Amino acid sequence: MKKVAISIGDLNGIGLEIALKSHEKIKKYVKPIYCINREMLLQGANLLKIKIPNDFEIEEVEGNFEINPGKIDAKSGEYSFKSFKKAIKLAKENKVDAITTLPIHKEAWNKAGIKYKGHTEVLRDIFKKDAIMMLGCSKMYVALFTEHIPLKEVANKVKKEKLIKFFIDFYNSTNFKKIGVLGLNPHAGDGGVLGDEEIKEIIPAINEANKILKKEIFYGPLVPDTAFNKKEGIFIAMYHDQGLAPLKALYFDESINVSLNLPILRTSVDHGTAFDIAYKGIAKNKSYINAIKYIKNWFISIKNFSFLI
């Protein structure tokens, strides 16, 4: 059974509740190792009124603070970062086979003086690789060409050579047979009337990537407001909300986050800290279960993402 390091996320949110409630189920798929110390685990479990399972194996993460449910706090942000760094360390030392991350809060990281905006940026920096963020479920996956940047900066990032590299890396990480590429502008530019990024950058990148691969993998650019009508498929979005708004509207509870193009496998829940329901005992865990099952299936079908979650 594969070992998975569980980064515990922001302890003021729903991550610990999900981990404790899901333990009996996920241990059927993997051997989880939770990156948290005993003191913080006991404090959180007592607040939740949940008994800690006897086989709840932990990897010590230094730090001790008062959990404040639903609050943005620098200490909680710092601890979630330390937990993630511990999970990465275990993976780099081959003590675990993969990582699953529970949700962090970006503002809490900022308050703690952490320069990163999210997990993927940390992985990209540590491994010096162009990590790709892919989100979705068995019915639909969406990869993000740009991620956590202001919308006003997106157009300047949409360049042919960068797109080609992204397309090739994404294909090599997944082996998907057909990948739709969304246009940047409304109506995919409408022949240049509403923007020319499709004509100048996206279409040439699609053609060149297919030429390099010697097969017709990429198609588009697709009109963004109709691309998701069939509620299924593989897509590359030019920016964050373009891809994630429809995905989460359709598959919010079950979609996951996968980091591609890295030497380690990392999956995550595709939701936030849900501070409004923290420690109320009502957090849903379907995304977390799917993130764990994805790892199990990955090792059964390595380099084949066509399996069903």
Side-chain angles (χ1 to χ4, degrees), residues 25-132:
K25 186 161 188 176
I26 71 164
K27 72 179 187 181
K28 298 174 183 177
Y29 306 124
V30 301
K31 179 176 175 55
I33 300 172
Y34 303 90
C35 297
I36 186 173
N37 63 46
R38 188 71 180 172
E39 292 77 14
M40 297 308 299
L41 175 59
L42 284 169
Q43 184 187 161
N46 287 337
L47 283 171
L48 287 162
K49 297 179 174 58
I50 295 177
K51 184 179 179 181
I52 301 170
N54 293 329
D55 58 353
F56 200 86
E57 184 178 345
I58 64 173
E59 181 73 26
E60 287 283 331
V61 176
E62 291 183 2
N64 197 345
F65 62 95
E66 183 178 350
I67 293 174
N68 199 349
K71 301 298 181 182
I72 300 170
D73 179 69
K75 290 181 179 179
S76 188
E78 181 182 18
Y79 195 85
S80 67
F81 183 65
K82 287 181 178 179
S83 177
F84 183 41
K85 290 289 290 291
K86 175 69 76 169
I88 293 171
K89 185 174 184 290
L90 293 174
K92 289 179 73 174
E93 294 174 352
N94 295 317
K95 293 180 179 177
V96 298
D97 301 288
I99 295 171
T100 293
T101 55
L102 287 161
I104 56 98
H105 197 285
K106 293 177 178 60
E107 188 176 345
W109 274 23
N110 183 259
K111 284 180 176 290
I114 297 163
K115 66 179 181 179
Y116 304 103
K117 295 184 178 71
H119 291 112
T120 308
E121 291 182 16
V122 179
L123 294 168
R124 191 174 286 130
D125 191 27
I126 287 176
F127 291 103
K128 308 303 178 188
K129 295 278 288 181
D130 292 328
I132 293 173

Side-chain angles (χ1 to χ4, degrees), residues 57-248:
E57 184 178 345
I58 64 173
E59 181 73 26
E60 287 283 331
V61 176
E62 291 183 2
N64 197 345
F65 62 95
E66 183 178 350
I67 293 174
N68 199 349
K71 301 298 181 182
I72 300 170
D73 179 69
K75 290 181 179 179
S76 188
E78 181 182 18
Y79 195 85
S80 67
F81 183 65
K82 287 181 178 179
S83 177
F84 183 41
K85 290 289 290 291
K86 175 69 76 169
I88 293 171
K89 185 174 184 290
L90 293 174
K92 289 179 73 174
E93 294 174 352
N94 295 317
K95 293 180 179 177
V96 298
D97 301 288
I99 295 171
T100 293
T101 55
L102 287 161
I104 56 98
H105 197 285
K106 293 177 178 60
E107 188 176 345
W109 274 23
N110 183 259
K111 284 180 176 290
I114 297 163
K115 66 179 181 179
Y116 304 103
K117 295 184 178 71
H119 291 112
T120 308
E121 291 182 16
V122 179
L123 294 168
R124 191 174 286 130
D125 191 27
I126 287 176
F127 291 103
K128 308 303 178 188
K129 295 278 288 181
D130 292 328
I132 293 173
M133 185 186 293
M134 181 181 79
L135 302 100
C137 60
S138 58
K139 304 175 190 71
M140 178 188 293
Y141 285 110
V142 178
L144 303 180
F145 177 64
T146 64
E147 299 158 10
H148 300 126
I149 66 172
L151 188 57
K152 64 183 179 181
E153 296 177 11
V154 172
N156 289 333
K157 299 286 186 181
V158 179
K159 300 299 180 185
K160 174 186 170 184
E161 294 305 320
K162 290 182 178 180
L163 285 165
I164 292 170
K165 185 179 187 305
F166 185 94
F167 293 169
I168 298 299
D169 286 344
F170 182 57
Y171 173 75
N172 287 337
S173 298
T174 62
N175 285 336
F176 285 133
K177 294 179 179 178
K178 284 293 179 183
I179 302 167
V181 179
L182 301 183
L184 173 66
N185 299 294
H187 301 192
D190 231 351
V193 175
L194 301 177
D196 60 7
E197 285 83 4
E198 287 78 11
I199 294 171
K200 290 183 176 180
E201 313 293 346
I202 298 175
I203 293 173
I206 289 172
N207 293 337
E208 184 63 23
N210 286 334
K211 182 178 178 181
I212 291 169
L213 294 172
K214 298 180 179 179
K215 44 187 148 182
E216 297 295 314
I217 300 295
F218 300 97
Y219 64 98
L222 304 176
V223 175
D225 66 2
T226 59
F228 300 92
N229 282 356
K230 293 182 180 180
K231 302 180 182 180
E232 62 182 14
I234 314 298
F235 304 99
I236 293 174
M238 292 298 109
Y239 58 93
H240 187 277
D241 288 10
Q242 184 190 52
L244 298 194
L247 174 67
K248 291 188 177 185

Side-chain angles (χ1 to χ4, degrees), residues 4-24:
V4 178
I6 309 296
S7 172
I8 207 64
D10 194 306
L11 286 172
N12 287 347
I14 61 173
L16 183 58
E17 178 190 341
I18 289 172
L20 286 166
K21 284 168 46 173
S22 308
H23 178 73
E24 290 301 316

